């Protein structure tokens, strides 16, 4: 674990006043653990309502604390992120939560605000796909299964002044302070997931680190968005400035062709293109491991499909 932590610290330039925790329960467990660990009596939590995963985080936080929605993209059907100028922060908020990449809606925060309260980010689906200014955050969390290996491990990077004694009723294994004090060894860590994470971190470093990951992500997504935007047959309703470089979500102008599109794509070896169950359409997930050749295969298939059905 010490070696993995060193690799992570080097890749993300994590300042010394941040602790790295290796936890279980996934990002979904953090949805509830954040208010329990971070809020003091009388505080509420600010949340940006940016799409499917933000809503999951909000619903769970609401079970434990009052929540203030700083802004919502619901009116635009989550095709754009509410600009920072529209956010209404609560004066008594203990933190402000964002979802840096909305995996199902295809939206990504490209500029992180500088806030007076600790900024907390669910980075599950774009963790290690680009450099991020860690010092601007109070806490970053991410499940490992997108860009850091296999499910079973959830990373929490937390500024040390936010660690405090576990509130009454919180099991010690879920206390950030207890896990920090015991170097994430309060319970047996998920050893296999950690082993794979170590391999992934080495792979990222060998390929040039996070700047190289970001360049590759931009190029993959740029090619796919260009293919979508240059056609009437496919459409991407997400506002270009907020589009994700990781999860490219799009639709067929004639929605009746969706099932045929997905079936023919699968025949061609292009799998897992169905959009998130709650959202529909097509989603191409372009995590770090996806080579540019994968996008080229997909755009070639899209050309053929449009020629046949357009
Ligand atoms: C942005 C985001 N947050 C949270 C989750 C949930 O992660 P887990 O299943 O590890 O709890 C996911 C899973 O896809 C996600 O994409």
């Amino acid at each position: 674990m010490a070696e993995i932590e060193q690799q992570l610290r080097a890749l993300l330039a994590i300042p010394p006043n941040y602790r790295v925790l290796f936890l279980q329960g996934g990002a979904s467990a953090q949805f509830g653990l954040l208010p329990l660990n971070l809020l003091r009596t009388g505080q509420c939590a600010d949340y940006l309502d940016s799409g499917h995963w933000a809503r999951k985080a909000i619903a769970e936080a609401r079970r434990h604390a009052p929540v203030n929605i700083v802004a919502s993209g619901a009116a635009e059907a989550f095709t754009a992120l509410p600009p920072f100028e529209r956010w209404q922060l609560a004066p008594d908020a203990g933190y402000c939560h964002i979802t840096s990449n909305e995996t199902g809606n295809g939206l990504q925060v490209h500029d992180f605000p500088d806030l007076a309260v600790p900024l907390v980010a669910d980075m599950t689906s774009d963790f290690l796909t680009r450099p991020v200014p860690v010092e601007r955050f109070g806490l970053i969390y991410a499940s490992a299964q997108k860009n850091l290996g296999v499910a079973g491990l959830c990373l929490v990077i937390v500024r040390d002044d936010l660690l405090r004694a576990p509130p009454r009723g919180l099991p010690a294994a879920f206390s950030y302070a207890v896990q920090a004090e015991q170097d994430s060894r309060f319970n047996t860590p998920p050893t296999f997931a950690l082993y794979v994470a170590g391999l992934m971190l080495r792979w990222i470093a060998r390929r040039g680190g996070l700047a190289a990951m970001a360049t590759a992500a931009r190029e993959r997504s740029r090619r796919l968005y260009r293919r979508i935007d240059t056609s009437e047959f496919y459409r991407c309703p997400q506002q270009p400035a907020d589009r994700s470089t990781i999860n490219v979500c799009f639709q067929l102008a004639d929605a009746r062709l969706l099932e045929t599109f997905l079936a023919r794509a699968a025949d061609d070896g292009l799998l897992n293109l169905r959009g998130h169950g709650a959202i529909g359409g097509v989603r191409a997930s372009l995590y770090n491991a996806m080579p540019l050749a994968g996008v080229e295969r997909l755009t070639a298939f899209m050309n053929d499909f449009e020629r046949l059905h357009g």
Side-chain angles (χ1 to χ4, degrees), residues 36-99:
L36 290 171
N37 275 281
L38 300 182
L39 294 183
R40 293 175 188 280
T41 314
Q43 285 185 320
C44 70
D46 278 337
Y47 276 76
L48 179 67
D49 178 19
S50 52
H52 176 80
W53 285 107
R55 294 197 143 194
K56 290 263 192 193
I58 291 165
E60 189 62 19
R62 275 205 172 114
R63 300 182 61 226
H64 306 287
V67 164
N68 169 54
I69 305 297
V70 296
S72 172
E76 293 96 36
F78 300 115
T79 55
L81 292 171
F84 181 58
E85 306 75 67
R86 271 185 23 213
W87 293 20
Q88 304 210 320
L89 299 153
D92 55 346
Y95 64 84
C96 179
H97 181 282
I98 60 170
T99 307

Side-chain angles (χ1 to χ4, degrees), residues 155-174:
L155 263 116
V156 172
I157 301 168
V158 55
R159 213 173 60 210
D160 54 17
D161 63 288
L162 298 176
L163 296 170
R164 59 192 188 96
R168 227 183 123 66
L170 179 69
F174 299 138

